[in-house]
Amino acid sequence: MRDPMGNVMLILSLCFCSVAKVCASDSLLSPKGVNFEVAALMSMKSKMRDEYGVLGGWDINSVDPCTWSMVGCSPEGFVTSLEMASMGLSGTLSPSIGNLTRLRLMLLQNNQLSGFIPAEIGKLSELQTLDLSGNQFAGEIPSSLGLLKHLSYLRLSKNKLSGRIPGPVANLTGISFLDLSFNNLSGPTPKILAKDYRIAGNSFLCSSFSVETCMDVPKPLNDSSSSYQKVGNHHRWILSVIIGVTCTFAVSVMLLVCWVQWYRSRLLLASYVQQDYEFDIGHLKRFTIRELQIATNNFSSKNILGQGGFGVVYKGCLPNRTLVAVKRLRDPNFTGEVQFQTEVEMIGLALHRNLLRLYGFCMTPEERLLVYPYMSNGSVADRLRDTDQEKPSLDWGKRLHIALGAARGLVYLHEQCNPKIIHRDVKAANILLDESFEAVVGDFGLAKLLDTRESHVTTAVRGTIGHIAPEYLSTGQSSEKTDVFGFGILLLELITGLKALDAGNGQVQKGMILDWVRNLYEGKRLEVLVDRDLKGSFEAEELEKVVQVALQCTQSNPNLRPRMSEVMKILEAIAGQSVHQEESQQATSNQYEGRSFSFSRNLSGGIHDQSSFVIEAIELSGPR
């Protein structure tokens, strides 16, 4: 039985969608301001039981679902991914899922969802990855899945699906991996055109293409074929004896296998504890997937530290009680193993006190994971928006120190790494804080790692809306000046305590924090934008200088933005710190002699000195 309310919402959403396509600028809204994707997601939420409250942030009054947990969006604002794996969700999957027409990735594996798989999924013409494995879905596999011509990964294993394998699904030619194993599928097995597929664990499935040759294969209990009705009592008795003996033998074998596995796991765990987990500089440890599963309690949702454009981060504990952060990369189109390992080793060579140290990595055919040290104070974004009164807020001195540390890390990436590394997603959420509140730049190199193309020009723009430089958003071309723009937004986040797309308690319109700060700067009203938590602990002159730096970094013309080395010099001067060691001062004294470290109020100009800036290695760190 289909839910009448679900059908009503489906019809309304389709009607709204036809109206919305008339105007590209309002492609998500109806004339009455209804967001179709919000309606579809809220319909999904209403059909699910959320025991752990992971859907608590999904709000029917929101016009933008892109900020919701587990929801990913395109730069245009369309929902393109739902990553809801292992979230303890139950209930059913709403047919309104078919209204998310731009969806490319849907991961719902390892939950407790039941009912039928909605045929409306066949409307998701751009869907590339679909994983519904490890649930309790029943009924037949919808033939409409055969309409998904862009589908490259389909996993429906470990459910209670019955009936035959639909011909349209078997005939999908572009699919790289199809997994229908461990269900109750029956009938003849059609010719499957997927490059790789799995159908094991379907006891009623016949390997022959012909229906006639499959007559003697047992059918599911709800199959009403006449052959089962003609079995006599004698034959049934014999069959029962055979089944009983077989089951007894199978149970015995399974108990033996389980005991062997338990014994081996005990030995393996003991060997893990005996391993030395010292991470030498320049050497990365290659973890096994089993090690990281044990460390994160099988990637439990309770251990999630955060998630973003690159993947989900889990807190983990190694056998020697070392706390780590395990980043599970979300990109389904993985690079080859050799290329991935090469790129990871290049990232691992970047060692600096203000860069997040990479401990190691893990590769499987279906997984790519990176292991980092656990940062006890979280990210700058967490601390700016943390309401926990027991944790001290970031005062002005700490914020200046954080900005300077992040600048030093970016200078190292831009000017001391060979080849240089462009971050592409500089923001408060990617600046982590260690136990001493030292700023540590994280996620550097991941944009390159997940982009298989060699060029720095890519059509797959990676980053966060509100932090992306205009030239990168429009052309896909990134450079060091792309990171400079993101750093400027980071400075504004440190000053205001707001997100780049925050509402600012009614003072800032969405997406306009930069214009808001510029207007206040020109009107000499900088005290309005300062975070309330600072409580007058800042110097007005220092505040003005930092705002000047931020506005110079965020100019629309990338050629007018300063280099990170110049920004670092200015912040060092503001913070009253030494610029370099004695030898560095002598080497660069002629270049910077008589130069002022404050910017002019005329923001149309820029720093025009583009001469080379040689920096010595800045405080390379030991193991973190």
Side-chain angles (χ1 to χ4, degrees), residues 7 10-11 13-14 95-103 118-127 144-148:
N7 291 335
L10 175 62
I11 295 172
S13 300
L14 290 174
S96 295
I97 188 69
N99 294 341
L100 301 177
T101 55
R102 302 296 181 90
L103 198 63
E120 286 77 5
I121 294 180
K123 298 179 181 179
L124 306 178
S125 58
E126 297 185 15
L127 194 63
S144 60
L145 297 184
L147 302 175
L148 304 177

Side-chain angles (χ1 to χ4, degrees), residues 303-308 311-315 325-328 372 443:
N303 287 335
I304 292 180
L305 295 174
Q307 49 190 323
V312 182
V313 183
Y314 299 85
K315 183 178 180 179
V326 181
K327 180 177 285 291
R328 197 176 191 182
Y372 297 100
D443 275 4

Side-chain angles (χ1 to χ4, degrees), residues 117 130-134 137 139-143 145-146 151 153-172 175-194 196-205 366:
I117 297 177
L130 176 61
D131 193 340
L132 303 179
S133 61
F137 286 111
E140 297 185 353
I141 299 173
S143 297
L145 297 184
L151 197 62
Y153 184 94
L154 175 59
R155 195 172 184 184
L156 305 177
S157 57
K158 298 179 182 179
N159 280 287
K160 299 178 180 179
L161 298 173
S162 59
R164 297 184 178 182
I165 299 176
V169 175
N171 292 333
L172 284 171
I175 195 166
S176 300
F177 181 71
L178 173 65
D179 189 356
L180 305 177
S181 57
F182 299 100
N183 281 287
N184 295 319
L185 300 177
S186 59
T189 303
K191 182 178 181 181
I192 298 177
L193 302 183
D196 185 17
Y197 65 89
R198 298 174 186 173
I199 57 174
N202 290 283
S203 303
F204 310 112
L205 200 61
E366 300 175 358

Side-chain angles (χ1 to χ4, degrees), residues 489-530:
I489 299 296
L490 169 64
L491 288 179
L492 297 184
E493 290 183 282
L494 287 169
I495 295 170
T496 65
L498 303 177
K499 298 179 182 178
L501 294 176
D502 208 324
N505 297 324
Q507 301 180 71
V508 189
Q509 296 299 319
K510 185 169 184 180
M512 298 298 290
I513 186 173
L514 185 55
D515 293 337
W516 179 63
V517 173
R518 281 176 177 155
N519 291 334
L520 292 176
Y521 176 78
E522 295 295 339
K524 299 182 179 180
R525 299 174 57 232
L526 295 182
E527 69 281 355
V528 176
L529 59 84
V530 179

